[in-house]
């Protein structure tokens, strides 16, 4: 297992280097001039030149990349062009919000998806199977922002069970934190739970037809033990690969759902940065999001290696 983790970590080095090159290059090639965006039409030529010199924009792009990368590896992602706020500070301030939303959404997706998939696999072609298949199709078809608006209208505006907007940190009140994230998490996790349910059903149907499952039943092992110890453990191996992708989807989807529920997470920060063409903020956000995705993939690779010994390097 240690060799597997080491191999994955070493493979991340060239990946992160390529991402850093692409991130810096693409954002630096934007047609807008940062100096013009900051000073507008009121600045004189001397002020433009002084600001350009102070920001290092007169340097060649490869020199600016090396300077930016050397600061980034030390945790310094620069400052916003418009309010001089530290990019790392702004990202770290919003990160717990997006992580809370993603974590609760992933939990909902896993619990609902696995339960629906197992129930459908145990009774193939029954009304349970058809209902789960219909629900999975519905869950994957509806846009999460539209579903979020429906949830707000029903459970926040009409019934007043949950707040319609805003986010409460878990350190202030765990109960209010849960109430603030439950609706956006349901809106976000529904489509992923549908995808997981489909994968679990397909995998479980195949596993339940294996000879070792029949042998376990013939030996008189209880149905619950056969299901959870022998069948579900092996059926979850291909599901883990799907789970990695779905958590990545949840991270991206959280940026949109945050807008529906007026939650100040990384999505709000990213949209403001795009509108203002705040290049340092965009570069920092892309790097942090890529880092989160890489961390999720590394974690799921480890889980996959634990479930499937054949995936471990020899």
């Amino acid at each position: 297992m240690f060799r597997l983790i080491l191999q994955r970590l070493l493979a991340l080095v060239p990946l992160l280097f390529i991402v850093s090159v692409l991130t810096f290059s693409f954002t630096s090639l934007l047609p807008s001039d940062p100096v013009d965006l900051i000073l507008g039409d009121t600045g004189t030529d001397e002020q433009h030149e002084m600001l350009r010199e102070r920001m290092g924009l007169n340097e060649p792009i490869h020199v600016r990349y090396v300077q930016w990368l050397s600061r980034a590896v030390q945790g310094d992602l620069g400052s916003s062009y418009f309010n001089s706020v530290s990019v790392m500070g702004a990202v770290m301030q919003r990160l717990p919000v997006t992580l809370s939303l993603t974590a609760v959404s992933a939990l909902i997706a896993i619990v609902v998806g696995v339960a629906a998939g197992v129930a459908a696999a145990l009774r193939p072609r029954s009304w349970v199977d058809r209902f789960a298949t219909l629900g999975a199709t519905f869950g994957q078809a509806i846009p999460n922002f539209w579903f979020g608006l429906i949830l707000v209208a029903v459970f926040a505006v009409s019934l007043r069970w949950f707040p319609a907007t805003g986010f409460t940190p878990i350190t202030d009140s765990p109960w209010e934190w849960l109430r603030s994230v439950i609706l956006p998490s349901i809106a976000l996790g529904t489509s992923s739970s549908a995808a997981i349910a489909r994968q679990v059903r397909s995998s479980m149907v195949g596993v339940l037809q294996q000879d070792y499952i029949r042998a376990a039943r013939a030996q008189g092992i209880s149905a619950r033990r056969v299901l959870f110890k022998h069948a579900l453990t092996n059926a979850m191996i291909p599901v883990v690969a799907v789970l990695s992708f779905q958590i990545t989807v949840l991270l991206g989807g959280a940026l949109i759902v945050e807008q529906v529920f007026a939650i100040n997470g990384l999505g709000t920060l990213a949209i403001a940065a795009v509108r203002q063409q705040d290049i340092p903020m965009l570069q920092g956000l892309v790097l942090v999001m890529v880092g989160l995705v890489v961390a999720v993939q590394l974690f799921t690779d480890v889980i996959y290696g634990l479930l499937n010994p054949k995936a471990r390097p020899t």
Side-chain angles (χ1 to χ4, degrees):
M1 187 55 64
F2 175 76
R3 184 174 297 180
L4 172 66
I5 298 174
L6 183 61
Q7 284 186 354
R8 295 296 187 269
L9 288 176
L10 290 177
L12 294 180
V13 176
L15 172 65
L16 293 177
F17 174 72
I18 293 172
V19 169
S20 69
V21 171
L22 294 178
T23 302
F24 187 85
S25 302
F26 288 157
T27 52
S28 298
L29 292 176
L30 290 174
S32 57
D33 187 345
V35 176
D36 292 338
L37 291 174
I38 296 172
L39 294 179
D41 298 331
T42 58
T44 63
D45 292 342
E46 289 77 11
Q47 290 175 323
H48 277 73
E49 189 57 34
M50 288 177 60
L51 183 57
R52 188 180 300 278
E53 183 70 24
R54 185 166 64 86
M55 297 173 66
L57 297 177
N58 290 329
E59 299 289 342
I61 187 171
H62 65 277
V63 175
R64 282 186 283 150
Y65 168 73
V66 172
Q67 294 173 347
W68 173 77
L69 184 62
S70 61
R71 292 194 300 268
V73 296
Q74 301 175 40
D76 181 9
L77 296 176
S79 302
S80 168
Y81 280 161
F82 298 94
N83 50 24
S84 299
V85 171
S86 166
V87 172
M88 182 60 79
V91 171
M92 289 298 108
Q93 185 181 12
R94 309 290 186 92
L95 185 60
V97 180
T98 301
L99 288 183
S100 294
L101 197 57
T102 305
V104 177
S105 302
L107 181 62
I108 291 173
I110 293 171
V111 172
V112 175
V114 172
V118 170
L122 291 177
R123 300 173 182 82
R125 300 178 183 176
S126 66
W127 68 269
V128 176
D129 187 16
R130 293 189 178 91
F131 181 77
T133 304
L134 180 64
T137 304
F138 177 76
Q140 286 187 300
I142 58 173
N144 51 24
F145 64 87
W146 179 82
F147 191 44
L149 292 174
I150 297 299
L151 292 174
V152 168
V154 176
F155 295 101
V157 177
S158 298
L159 300 176
R160 300 182 181 277
W161 290 353
F162 302 97
T165 60
F167 174 82
T168 302
I170 193 171
T171 52
D172 292 352
S173 170
W175 172 245
E176 291 301 323
W177 167 81
L178 183 61
R179 292 183 72 238
S180 67
V181 300
I182 194 68
L183 289 185
S185 298
I186 292 174
L188 186 59
T190 299
S191 60
S192 294
S193 66
I196 293 173
R198 284 181 178 275
Q199 183 63 47
V200 170
R201 182 203 177 276
S202 175
S203 183
M204 277 292 290
V205 167
V207 169
L208 290 173
Q209 295 175 352
Q210 297 294 317
D211 291 339
Y212 71 91
I213 296 295
R214 296 193 185 95
R217 287 171 174 165
Q219 292 174 1
I221 300 177
S222 65
R224 179 176 299 180
R225 186 178 176 86
V226 171
L227 174 63
F228 290 103
K229 183 175 182 180
H230 299 284
L232 188 58
T233 303
N234 292 319
M236 288 298 292
I237 293 175
V239 176
V240 171
V242 176
L243 187 61
S244 171
F245 174 73
Q246 289 301 323
I247 293 178
T248 304
V249 171
L250 290 176
L251 272 173
L255 306 186
I256 299 174
V257 173
E258 287 173 4
Q259 305 305 306
V260 177
F261 291 89
I263 295 175
N264 290 323
L266 292 181
T268 308
L269 191 64
I271 290 177
V274 170
R275 286 176 176 170
Q276 295 178 326
Q277 300 187 31
D278 193 345
I279 294 174
M281 192 64 75
L282 285 174
Q283 292 170 338
L285 282 167
V286 171
L287 278 187
V288 170
M289 292 301 292
V290 170
L292 289 175
V293 171
V294 166
V296 168
Q297 291 183 344
L298 177 63
F299 176 74
T300 51
D301 283 347
V302 173
I303 298 296
Y304 191 84
L306 289 173
L307 293 174
N308 185 12
K310 294 180 180 177
R312 302 173 196 169
T314 57

